[in-house]
Amino acid sequence: MTDTNQRPDGGASSASEHLSTQYTPAEVEGTLYERWVEAGYFEADEKSDKPPFCIVIPPPNVTGSLHLGHAFEHTIIDSLTRRKRMQGYETLWQPGMDHAGIATQNVVERELAKEGKSRHDLGRDAFVERVWQWKEESGGRILGQMRRLGDGVDWSRERFTMDEGLSEAVQTIFKKLYDDELIYRAERIINWCPRCLTAISDIEVEYQDDEGELVSVRYGEGEESIVVATTRAETMLGDTAVAVHPDDGRYRHLVGTEIELPLTGRRIPVVADEHVDPEFGTGAVKVTPAHDPNDFEIGRRHDLPALAVLDERGVITAHGPFQGLDRFEARSAIVAALRAEGRIVAEKRPYTHSVGHCSRCKTTIEPRLSMQWWVKVGPLAQAAGDAVRDGRVRIHPKEMESRYFGWVDNLHDWCISRQLWWGHRIPVWYGPAGEVVCVGPDEEPPTGEGWHQDTDVLDTWFSSGLWPFSTLGWPEQTAGLEKFYPTSVLVTGYDILFFWVARMMMFGLYAMDGTPPFRTIALHGMVRDQFGKKMSKSFGNAVDPLDWMDKYGSDAVRFTLARGANPGVDVPIGEDWVQASRNFCNKIWNATRFALMNGATVEGPVPQAGELTAADRWILSRLNETVAEVDALYEDFQFAKLSDALFHFAWDEVFDWYVELSKTTLAKGGPQADASRRVLGEVLDVTLRLLHPVVPFVTEALWTALTGSESLVVAEWPDDSGFRDKQAREEIATVQQVVTEVRRFRAEQGLKPGQKVPARLGLEGTALVAHEDAIRQLLRLQPAEEGFQATASLPVAGATVSLDLSGAIDVEAERKRLAKDLAAAEKEKSQTTAKLGNEAFLAKAPEPVVEKIRARLAAAEQDIVRLTAQLDSLPDS
RNA sequence: GGGCGCAUAGCUCAGCGGUAGAGCGCUGCUCUUACAAAGCAGAUGUCGGCGGUUCGAAUCCGUCUGUGCCCA
């Protein structure tokens, strides 16, 4: 247990004593988050002079709980807003939920079912009351889970699509669209879910290949018969024609005649229609206008009656022996009956074909003729497409644009009415004399004998389409709208580009006088398991992110997700990777702990270059390059790359090399040690700032300990100072080369890592002279004393390292090592020689490339000379 | 059926015209006083097949195969 975790306001000097040797996320995360909220860091001020930065949350479903997809999306959004906040923007991350009409109603109906009741037993008002009650008690679990993740949302502005204000927005835009004749009521074939008992829109239908049957049935008798093929025999009871292609010679003589429809005794016409494919099956199709969208169109063209034979639950209503049968039972029964009459000429079973299912409950969709409300999307979709086409809205990554256009430019009218009770009720009243009145939010609905309101509610997407401005107070002209609309970025999955993004574009442009709801749409992929498989409950590979957060900390989950986030690409995640991220957090923890124990400081200015060691100058140079790199990557939503850049900079450069090199300087003391303490403080300070948006908790705990400042949440985002030092960089690279080379020798000679070895360093004439102490420290090399005998001499980077291994070295190991290097050098030589011997290459390749090859050849030749000499000097074995 | 994408180390992925990279995993040696949730060293790839463009192709073009997604 460490109390510093709870007390980051403690002074830097005392802090180090309290940091435990391992990072324990659970001790830090909860308290830090609550403090951030209490401090009001996440609250947006619309009266601020700062430039605005606003992101609306893709509203999670009120019935939902946090899954990895949310965690992924929220990590991205939170990182973007945290960085912008640090950069001095007035940031608003707008939280809230949608009411999820069908899903929520299903949940509450299931609850009722346990009590043996249906919603009809309660009646509409009591049922809606019951849903609200459920929402208060069990809904919105996800909001608490968002806190665990560290989401910096403005909780004071939380919104729900069924709130009064948002409901007013819905009514307002409905009325406006109605008055503009962009909403209308019409009888059409819609996608009907016989289980949810409501219409759903085209995009709420999921198609999948199912095994069914294809039966060919002979209609009519003798010369006047036609064979039609169908997968839906049960609908034949509602057939009102047979259609053939007008140019099809086989049936020309029958067009205009009537034939007998089996089992019914009815006679139906044979019609000619261009849309019949003469190549498919027999070239003749049965026409059921009430139960198939294509047939409905044929029916319209030929003025055929639409005869409904199924009710809302998919049960046969047609009089006769099949009445009361479910659609699937009816199918078998009807096929059997047809077979008994000798009318089945062919059967194909199983016959795999594409079948639509309800995206909510997976029930097979039943196309159904019914009266519904529609949005006429033509002009709205046109505007939504144009906003992207003319660059006012940028879709990132750009490749996703074609998908957007493909959809928006081929949009069918949108069915918005749902036969549910939970949702925004359609604000239309019908009068006794057939009047239809659409009522705005500030108007009184008509009263009196015979007036009644439409019983349907609106599609949930209708209200979530208003989200970017309804949450800011629209239709009121609020200061929030003024400040934060249009929002800056929309971060969401490519899977709801159609469901949600396009709706917001249409409504935003329409309601806000042509101003799109966001400037940039940043699309991310889907979270998958560690083998790239889609996560699903039924497959058993779904993971609860809360489990991982408990086990490894929220930062670890966040970092793993960020590190996998390539724009628009699916992100696989596995527990091993979360563990690796946790290890990284622990590494940062311990490196900072080391720094604090060694007096790293952020006090005063960073000393001038002249007062710094080469290692100091090198790491400051790299630090600034990293700031610039991370900034550029943030602007491009390249989370995977920026996380990786930070990971490698922190671990491979700061922790593995700079910290190790600084140990020698710090041990010596004096002004140079003071300077290095300041540089160490600076490097950690800036690195923690850079990491904070992605891993907010561990960085906050460490940064407050390091700096004694209030909070990293409101600290300034670092700028690239422009400092670069190429010379220091080369110098340190040489040190690394020597150290690595000798380490390799040691390892292959079987020396224990900690074993001290006497050595003589020949560094004269190289930049390494200044680094002798560090090199000795890193390589565990002792001074050469009396009786020193060099048993091995390693030439590297212009210097020589001679070691006394007190006795014979392992000649075979050394020969193997040198031979391997020599082979590599010779391969390099032959490759580069071949290139340089190619006239065409010399003539056409750009000069820098040729130069590079020449340099490689020269280096290879030097290596060969050196390695050959070393090999020759080895004693024979 | 139409469209889009992807095939690179055992796994998951970067790289997208000039010496094949990362993380995890794997093999050795180490509890070296920030960290064994670590350190150091090491092994591993005809960059899906075939053709073409180019001085040069994992990278550009064509084609085939496999695979995933979206739409109908």
mmCIF file of all heavy atoms in Angstrom, chain A residues 54-56 387-388 392-395 404 465 467-468 484-492 500-506 508 515-522:
data_model
loop_
_atom_site.group_PDB
_atom_site.id
_atom_site.type_symbol
_atom_site.label_atom_id
_atom_site.label_comp_id
_atom_site.label_asym_id
_atom_site.label_seq_id
_atom_site.Cartn_x
_atom_site.Cartn_y
_atom_site.Cartn_z
ATOM 1 N N CYS A 54 -15.232 19.964 -29.685
ATOM 2 C CA CYS A 54 -16.391 19.223 -29.188
ATOM 3 C C CYS A 54 -16.551 17.886 -29.903
ATOM 4 O O CYS A 54 -16.421 17.794 -31.123
ATOM 5 C CB CYS A 54 -17.649 20.065 -29.395
ATOM 6 S SG CYS A 54 -19.167 19.212 -28.936
ATOM 7 N N ILE A 55 -16.797 16.881 -29.105
ATOM 8 C CA ILE A 55 -17.125 15.557 -29.638
ATOM 9 C C ILE A 55 -18.375 15.067 -28.918
ATOM 10 O O ILE A 55 -18.446 15.147 -27.687
ATOM 11 C CB ILE A 55 -15.987 14.542 -29.408
ATOM 12 C CG1 ILE A 55 -14.746 14.936 -30.213
ATOM 13 C CG2 ILE A 55 -16.429 13.137 -29.787
ATOM 14 C CD1 ILE A 55 -13.610 13.922 -30.146
ATOM 15 N N VAL A 56 -19.352 14.597 -29.668
ATOM 16 C CA VAL A 56 -20.504 13.971 -29.008
ATOM 17 C C VAL A 56 -20.267 12.474 -28.952
ATOM 18 O O VAL A 56 -19.720 11.880 -29.870
ATOM 19 C CB VAL A 56 -21.841 14.251 -29.738
ATOM 20 C CG1 VAL A 56 -22.210 15.714 -29.608
ATOM 21 C CG2 VAL A 56 -21.805 13.809 -31.182
ATOM 22 N N ALA A 387 -21.973 17.584 -48.888
ATOM 23 C CA ALA A 387 -21.136 18.134 -47.822
ATOM 24 C C ALA A 387 -19.785 17.430 -47.772
ATOM 25 O O ALA A 387 -18.766 18.051 -47.464
ATOM 26 C CB ALA A 387 -21.840 18.016 -46.471
ATOM 27 N N VAL A 388 -19.782 16.154 -48.088
ATOM 28 C CA VAL A 388 -18.511 15.415 -48.118
ATOM 29 C C VAL A 388 -17.810 15.650 -49.450
ATOM 30 O O VAL A 388 -16.607 15.880 -49.507
ATOM 31 C CB VAL A 388 -18.746 13.907 -47.887
ATOM 32 C CG1 VAL A 388 -17.447 13.118 -48.054
ATOM 33 C CG2 VAL A 388 -19.325 13.681 -46.495
ATOM 34 N N ARG A 392 -16.553 20.028 -47.066
ATOM 35 C CA ARG A 392 -16.923 20.655 -45.803
ATOM 36 C C ARG A 392 -16.844 19.656 -44.660
ATOM 37 O O ARG A 392 -16.655 20.025 -43.516
ATOM 38 C CB ARG A 392 -18.338 21.252 -45.881
ATOM 39 C CG ARG A 392 -18.364 22.612 -46.567
ATOM 40 C CD ARG A 392 -19.787 23.115 -46.689
ATOM 41 N NE ARG A 392 -20.566 22.220 -47.550
ATOM 42 C CZ ARG A 392 -21.872 22.017 -47.413
ATOM 43 N NH1 ARG A 392 -22.542 22.615 -46.455
ATOM 44 N NH2 ARG A 392 -22.499 21.198 -48.236
ATOM 45 N N VAL A 393 -17.022 18.397 -45.012
ATOM 46 C CA VAL A 393 -16.864 17.336 -44.015
ATOM 47 C C VAL A 393 -15.856 16.344 -44.578
ATOM 48 O O VAL A 393 -15.935 15.948 -45.746
ATOM 49 C CB VAL A 393 -18.210 16.619 -43.743
ATOM 50 C CG1 VAL A 393 -17.994 15.452 -42.785
ATOM 51 C CG2 VAL A 393 -19.220 17.602 -43.188
ATOM 52 N N ARG A 394 -14.898 15.996 -43.745
ATOM 53 C CA ARG A 394 -13.825 15.114 -44.170
ATOM 54 C C ARG A 394 -14.059 13.739 -43.548
ATOM 55 O O ARG A 394 -14.303 13.645 -42.343
ATOM 56 C CB ARG A 394 -12.507 15.677 -43.656
ATOM 57 C CG ARG A 394 -11.264 15.286 -44.413
ATOM 58 C CD ARG A 394 -10.095 16.146 -43.931
ATOM 59 N NE ARG A 394 -9.922 16.028 -42.484
ATOM 60 C CZ ARG A 394 -8.898 15.383 -41.904
ATOM 61 N NH1 ARG A 394 -7.988 14.818 -42.623
ATOM 62 N NH2 ARG A 394 -8.792 15.319 -40.586
ATOM 63 N N ILE A 395 -14.015 12.704 -44.348
ATOM 64 C CA ILE A 395 -14.132 11.348 -43.801
ATOM 65 C C ILE A 395 -12.740 10.737 -43.721
ATOM 66 O O ILE A 395 -11.971 10.794 -44.681
ATOM 67 C CB ILE A 395 -15.046 10.456 -44.677
ATOM 68 C CG1 ILE A 395 -16.483 10.951 -44.585
ATOM 69 C CG2 ILE A 395 -14.973 8.995 -44.223
ATOM 70 C CD1 ILE A 395 -17.498 10.120 -45.349
ATOM 71 N N TYR A 404 -19.568 5.605 -48.203
ATOM 72 C CA TYR A 404 -20.555 6.607 -47.803
ATOM 73 C C TYR A 404 -21.358 7.064 -49.010
ATOM 74 O O TYR A 404 -22.589 7.057 -48.993
ATOM 75 C CB TYR A 404 -19.821 7.777 -47.153
ATOM 76 C CG TYR A 404 -20.681 8.958 -46.785
ATOM 77 C CD1 TYR A 404 -21.447 8.956 -45.622
ATOM 78 C CD2 TYR A 404 -20.724 10.093 -47.598
ATOM 79 C CE1 TYR A 404 -22.232 10.045 -45.278
ATOM 80 C CE2 TYR A 404 -21.493 11.187 -47.255
ATOM 81 C CZ TYR A 404 -22.241 11.163 -46.097
ATOM 82 O OH TYR A 404 -23.010 12.252 -45.756
ATOM 83 N N GLY A 465 -30.393 10.855 -34.696
ATOM 84 C CA GLY A 465 -29.913 11.653 -35.816
ATOM 85 C C GLY A 465 -29.799 13.138 -35.480
ATOM 86 O O GLY A 465 -29.115 13.897 -36.169
ATOM 87 N N TRP A 467 -28.748 14.162 -32.525
ATOM 88 C CA TRP A 467 -27.867 14.182 -31.357
ATOM 89 C C TRP A 467 -26.855 15.342 -31.312
ATOM 90 O O TRP A 467 -26.706 15.980 -30.261
ATOM 91 C CB TRP A 467 -27.160 12.825 -31.301
ATOM 92 C CG TRP A 467 -26.413 12.501 -30.053
ATOM 93 C CD1 TRP A 467 -25.067 12.435 -29.923
ATOM 94 C CD2 TRP A 467 -26.944 12.186 -28.762
ATOM 95 N NE1 TRP A 467 -24.715 12.089 -28.641
ATOM 96 C CE2 TRP A 467 -25.846 11.927 -27.901
ATOM 97 C CE3 TRP A 467 -28.245 12.100 -28.235
ATOM 98 C CZ2 TRP A 467 -26.006 11.589 -26.553
ATOM 99 C CZ3 TRP A 467 -28.386 11.754 -26.902
ATOM 100 C CH2 TRP A 467 -27.284 11.513 -26.079
ATOM 101 N N PRO A 468 -26.142 15.641 -32.399
ATOM 102 C CA PRO A 468 -25.112 16.683 -32.302
ATOM 103 C C PRO A 468 -25.663 18.071 -31.970
ATOM 104 O O PRO A 468 -24.919 18.920 -31.503
ATOM 105 C CB PRO A 468 -24.453 16.683 -33.683
ATOM 106 C CG PRO A 468 -24.795 15.366 -34.275
ATOM 107 C CD PRO A 468 -26.152 15.024 -33.724
ATOM 108 N N PHE A 484 -20.404 25.368 -29.562
ATOM 109 C CA PHE A 484 -19.873 24.041 -29.893
ATOM 110 C C PHE A 484 -20.408 23.408 -31.182
ATOM 111 O O PHE A 484 -19.985 22.313 -31.551
ATOM 112 C CB PHE A 484 -20.093 23.088 -28.716
ATOM 113 C CG PHE A 484 -19.305 23.448 -27.488
ATOM 114 C CD1 PHE A 484 -19.942 23.907 -26.335
ATOM 115 C CD2 PHE A 484 -17.920 23.340 -27.486
ATOM 116 C CE1 PHE A 484 -19.209 24.243 -25.205
ATOM 117 C CE2 PHE A 484 -17.179 23.669 -26.356
ATOM 118 C CZ PHE A 484 -17.830 24.120 -25.217
ATOM 119 N N TYR A 485 -21.370 24.068 -31.842
ATOM 120 C CA TYR A 485 -21.848 23.519 -33.111
ATOM 121 C C TYR A 485 -21.240 24.316 -34.250
ATOM 122 O O TYR A 485 -21.234 25.535 -34.166
ATOM 123 C CB TYR A 485 -23.373 23.570 -33.208
ATOM 124 C CG TYR A 485 -23.915 22.763 -34.383
ATOM 125 C CD1 TYR A 485 -24.290 21.445 -34.245
ATOM 126 C CD2 TYR A 485 -24.001 23.343 -35.650
ATOM 127 C CE1 TYR A 485 -24.746 20.706 -35.327
ATOM 128 C CE2 TYR A 485 -24.459 22.604 -36.744
ATOM 129 C CZ TYR A 485 -24.838 21.301 -36.571
ATOM 130 O OH TYR A 485 -25.285 20.560 -37.645
ATOM 131 N N PRO A 486 -20.732 23.674 -35.292
ATOM 132 C CA PRO A 486 -20.662 22.234 -35.497
ATOM 133 C C PRO A 486 -19.596 21.589 -34.609
ATOM 134 O O PRO A 486 -18.620 22.230 -34.274
ATOM 135 C CB PRO A 486 -20.265 22.111 -36.963
ATOM 136 C CG PRO A 486 -19.510 23.355 -37.265
ATOM 137 C CD PRO A 486 -20.164 24.420 -36.432
ATOM 138 N N THR A 487 -19.815 20.331 -34.287
ATOM 139 C CA THR A 487 -18.845 19.633 -33.458
ATOM 140 C C THR A 487 -17.575 19.382 -34.284
ATOM 141 O O THR A 487 -17.592 19.480 -35.504
ATOM 142 C CB THR A 487 -19.404 18.302 -32.944
ATOM 143 O OG1 THR A 487 -19.595 17.412 -34.045
ATOM 144 C CG2 THR A 487 -20.728 18.510 -32.218
ATOM 145 N N SER A 488 -16.492 19.098 -33.588
ATOM 146 C CA SER A 488 -15.192 19.024 -34.267
ATOM 147 C C SER A 488 -14.988 17.708 -35.009
ATOM 148 O O SER A 488 -14.651 17.691 -36.189
ATOM 149 C CB SER A 488 -14.074 19.208 -33.246
ATOM 150 O OG SER A 488 -14.334 20.338 -32.446
ATOM 151 N N VAL A 489 -15.172 16.637 -34.280
ATOM 152 C CA VAL A 489 -14.901 15.314 -34.847
ATOM 153 C C VAL A 489 -16.005 14.364 -34.419
ATOM 154 O O VAL A 489 -16.484 14.451 -33.288
ATOM 155 C CB VAL A 489 -13.564 14.733 -34.308
ATOM 156 C CG1 VAL A 489 -13.231 13.418 -35.008
ATOM 157 C CG2 VAL A 489 -12.419 15.713 -34.471
ATOM 158 N N LEU A 490 -16.396 13.494 -35.319
ATOM 159 C CA LEU A 490 -17.255 12.395 -34.914
ATOM 160 C C LEU A 490 -16.421 11.126 -34.985
ATOM 161 O O LEU A 490 -15.868 10.816 -36.024
ATOM 162 C CB LEU A 490 -18.464 12.247 -35.831
ATOM 163 C CG LEU A 490 -19.302 11.041 -35.395
ATOM 164 C CD1 LEU A 490 -20.184 11.419 -34.230
ATOM 165 C CD2 LEU A 490 -20.097 10.459 -36.527
ATOM 166 N N VAL A 491 -16.296 10.450 -33.855
ATOM 167 C CA VAL A 491 -15.538 9.203 -33.819
ATOM 168 C C VAL A 491 -16.520 8.047 -33.686
ATOM 169 O O VAL A 491 -17.266 7.976 -32.713
ATOM 170 C CB VAL A 491 -14.565 9.166 -32.624
ATOM 171 C CG1 VAL A 491 -13.839 7.823 -32.570
ATOM 172 C CG2 VAL A 491 -13.571 10.306 -32.707
ATOM 173 N N THR A 492 -16.554 7.178 -34.682
ATOM 174 C CA THR A 492 -17.490 6.064 -34.611
ATOM 175 C C THR A 492 -17.054 4.937 -35.531
ATOM 176 O O THR A 492 -16.140 5.100 -36.332
ATOM 177 C CB THR A 492 -18.922 6.537 -34.947
ATOM 178 O OG1 THR A 492 -19.856 5.536 -34.549
ATOM 179 C CG2 THR A 492 -19.068 6.816 -36.422
ATOM 180 N N TRP A 500 -26.239 5.670 -38.529
ATOM 181 C CA TRP A 500 -26.251 6.864 -37.692
ATOM 182 C C TRP A 500 -25.624 8.084 -38.349
ATOM 183 O O TRP A 500 -26.214 9.163 -38.379
ATOM 184 C CB TRP A 500 -25.538 6.529 -36.378
ATOM 185 C CG TRP A 500 -25.665 7.571 -35.331
ATOM 186 C CD1 TRP A 500 -26.808 8.219 -34.940
ATOM 187 C CD2 TRP A 500 -24.618 8.111 -34.545
ATOM 188 N NE1 TRP A 500 -26.526 9.113 -33.945
ATOM 189 C CE2 TRP A 500 -25.184 9.060 -33.680
ATOM 190 C CE3 TRP A 500 -23.239 7.871 -34.466
ATOM 191 C CZ2 TRP A 500 -24.417 9.792 -32.763
ATOM 192 C CZ3 TRP A 500 -22.492 8.578 -33.551
ATOM 193 C CH2 TRP A 500 -23.082 9.534 -32.708
ATOM 194 N N VAL A 501 -24.420 7.900 -38.882
ATOM 195 C CA VAL A 501 -23.678 9.048 -39.403
ATOM 196 C C VAL A 501 -24.465 9.765 -40.502
ATOM 197 O O VAL A 501 -24.646 10.986 -40.473
ATOM 198 C CB VAL A 501 -22.298 8.613 -39.930
ATOM 199 C CG1 VAL A 501 -21.547 9.814 -40.469
ATOM 200 C CG2 VAL A 501 -21.499 7.929 -38.823
ATOM 201 N N ALA A 502 -24.951 8.982 -41.432
ATOM 202 C CA ALA A 502 -25.679 9.587 -42.551
ATOM 203 C C ALA A 502 -26.954 10.290 -42.068
ATOM 204 O O ALA A 502 -27.342 11.333 -42.590
ATOM 205 C CB ALA A 502 -26.019 8.519 -43.580
ATOM 206 N N ARG A 503 -27.607 9.735 -41.055
ATOM 207 C CA ARG A 503 -28.815 10.370 -40.504
ATOM 208 C C ARG A 503 -28.474 11.724 -39.893
ATOM 209 O O ARG A 503 -29.199 12.704 -40.038
ATOM 210 C CB ARG A 503 -29.425 9.513 -39.390
ATOM 211 C CG ARG A 503 -29.577 8.056 -39.701
ATOM 212 C CD ARG A 503 -30.917 7.786 -40.320
ATOM 213 N NE ARG A 503 -31.207 6.375 -40.317
ATOM 214 C CZ ARG A 503 -31.558 5.687 -41.397
ATOM 215 N NH1 ARG A 503 -31.664 6.304 -42.553
ATOM 216 N NH2 ARG A 503 -31.828 4.420 -41.321
ATOM 217 N N MET A 504 -27.352 11.745 -39.137
ATOM 218 C CA MET A 504 -26.953 13.015 -38.527
ATOM 219 C C MET A 504 -26.598 14.045 -39.587
ATOM 220 O O MET A 504 -26.886 15.226 -39.445
ATOM 221 C CB MET A 504 -25.750 12.791 -37.597
ATOM 222 C CG MET A 504 -26.119 12.090 -36.312
ATOM 223 S SD MET A 504 -24.760 12.096 -35.149
ATOM 224 C CE MET A 504 -23.650 10.946 -35.919
ATOM 225 N N MET A 505 -25.951 13.583 -40.632
ATOM 226 C CA MET A 505 -25.599 14.498 -41.718
ATOM 227 C C MET A 505 -26.872 15.089 -42.333
ATOM 228 O O MET A 505 -26.982 16.298 -42.535
ATOM 229 C CB MET A 505 -24.791 13.755 -42.784
ATOM 230 C CG MET A 505 -23.384 13.431 -42.352
ATOM 231 S SD MET A 505 -22.319 14.888 -42.287
ATOM 232 C CE MET A 505 -21.940 15.063 -44.033
ATOM 233 N N MET A 506 -27.832 14.241 -42.618
ATOM 234 C CA MET A 506 -29.066 14.720 -43.259
ATOM 235 C C MET A 506 -29.796 15.711 -42.351
ATOM 236 O O MET A 506 -30.179 16.796 -42.774
ATOM 237 C CB MET A 506 -29.985 13.533 -43.587
ATOM 238 C CG MET A 506 -29.437 12.630 -44.674
ATOM 239 S SD MET A 506 -30.664 11.480 -45.357
ATOM 240 C CE MET A 506 -30.920 10.340 -44.037
ATOM 241 N N GLY A 508 -28.652 17.280 -39.597
ATOM 242 C CA GLY A 508 -27.850 18.433 -39.211
ATOM 243 C C GLY A 508 -27.884 19.504 -40.285
ATOM 244 O O GLY A 508 -28.143 20.680 -40.017
ATOM 245 N N THR A 515 -25.391 23.827 -42.155
ATOM 246 C CA THR A 515 -24.118 23.592 -41.459
ATOM 247 C C THR A 515 -24.053 22.131 -41.025
ATOM 248 O O THR A 515 -24.897 21.664 -40.266
ATOM 249 C CB THR A 515 -24.007 24.477 -40.202
ATOM 250 O OG1 THR A 515 -24.235 25.830 -40.584
ATOM 251 C CG2 THR A 515 -22.622 24.343 -39.577
ATOM 252 N N PRO A 516 -23.041 21.426 -41.509
ATOM 253 C CA PRO A 516 -22.956 20.004 -41.156
ATOM 254 C C PRO A 516 -22.669 19.820 -39.666
ATOM 255 O O PRO A 516 -22.122 20.706 -39.027
ATOM 256 C CB PRO A 516 -21.795 19.486 -42.007
ATOM 257 C CG PRO A 516 -21.019 20.692 -42.392
ATOM 258 C CD PRO A 516 -21.965 21.837 -42.408
ATOM 259 N N PRO A 517 -23.042 18.690 -39.123
ATOM 260 C CA PRO A 517 -22.921 18.470 -37.674
ATOM 261 C C PRO A 517 -21.501 18.272 -37.174
ATOM 262 O O PRO A 517 -21.271 18.342 -35.970
ATOM 263 C CB PRO A 517 -23.746 17.203 -37.433
ATOM 264 C CG PRO A 517 -23.800 16.517 -38.744
ATOM 265 C CD PRO A 517 -23.738 17.566 -39.797
ATOM 266 N N PHE A 518 -20.564 17.995 -38.082
ATOM 267 C CA PHE A 518 -19.171 17.829 -37.643
ATOM 268 C C PHE A 518 -18.264 18.116 -38.830
ATOM 269 O O PHE A 518 -18.677 18.040 -39.981
ATOM 270 C CB PHE A 518 -18.887 16.415 -37.121
ATOM 271 C CG PHE A 518 -19.931 15.395 -37.489
ATOM 272 C CD1 PHE A 518 -19.992 14.882 -38.774
ATOM 273 C CD2 PHE A 518 -20.874 14.991 -36.563
ATOM 274 C CE1 PHE A 518 -20.969 13.974 -39.135
ATOM 275 C CE2 PHE A 518 -21.863 14.079 -36.921
ATOM 276 C CZ PHE A 518 -21.914 13.567 -38.201
ATOM 277 N N ARG A 519 -17.034 18.452 -38.505
ATOM 278 C CA ARG A 519 -16.070 18.792 -39.562
ATOM 279 C C ARG A 519 -15.360 17.549 -40.072
ATOM 280 O O ARG A 519 -14.986 17.454 -41.231
ATOM 281 C CB ARG A 519 -15.021 19.769 -39.038
ATOM 282 C CG ARG A 519 -15.636 21.042 -38.515
ATOM 283 C CD ARG A 519 -14.549 21.998 -38.056
ATOM 284 N NE ARG A 519 -15.122 23.109 -37.295
ATOM 285 C CZ ARG A 519 -15.800 24.100 -37.844
ATOM 286 N NH1 ARG A 519 -15.987 24.126 -39.145
ATOM 287 N NH2 ARG A 519 -16.294 25.056 -37.094
ATOM 288 N N THR A 520 -15.160 16.611 -39.160
ATOM 289 C CA THR A 520 -14.414 15.409 -39.529
ATOM 290 C C THR A 520 -15.126 14.178 -38.979
ATOM 291 O O THR A 520 -15.622 14.210 -37.863
ATOM 292 C CB THR A 520 -12.986 15.457 -38.934
ATOM 293 O OG1 THR A 520 -12.326 16.622 -39.412
ATOM 294 C CG2 THR A 520 -12.184 14.233 -39.337
ATOM 295 N N ILE A 521 -15.152 13.147 -39.790
ATOM 296 C CA ILE A 521 -15.680 11.863 -39.340
ATOM 297 C C ILE A 521 -14.502 10.900 -39.292
ATOM 298 O O ILE A 521 -13.901 10.616 -40.325
ATOM 299 C CB ILE A 521 -16.742 11.324 -40.321
ATOM 300 C CG1 ILE A 521 -17.905 12.306 -40.424
ATOM 301 C CG2 ILE A 521 -17.218 9.937 -39.887
ATOM 302 C CD1 ILE A 521 -18.841 12.024 -41.592
ATOM 303 N N ALA A 522 -14.152 10.470 -38.088
ATOM 304 C CA ALA A 522 -13.034 9.535 -37.945
ATOM 305 C C ALA A 522 -13.604 8.146 -37.668
ATOM 306 O O ALA A 522 -14.215 7.926 -36.628
ATOM 307 C CB ALA A 522 -12.109 9.974 -36.819
#
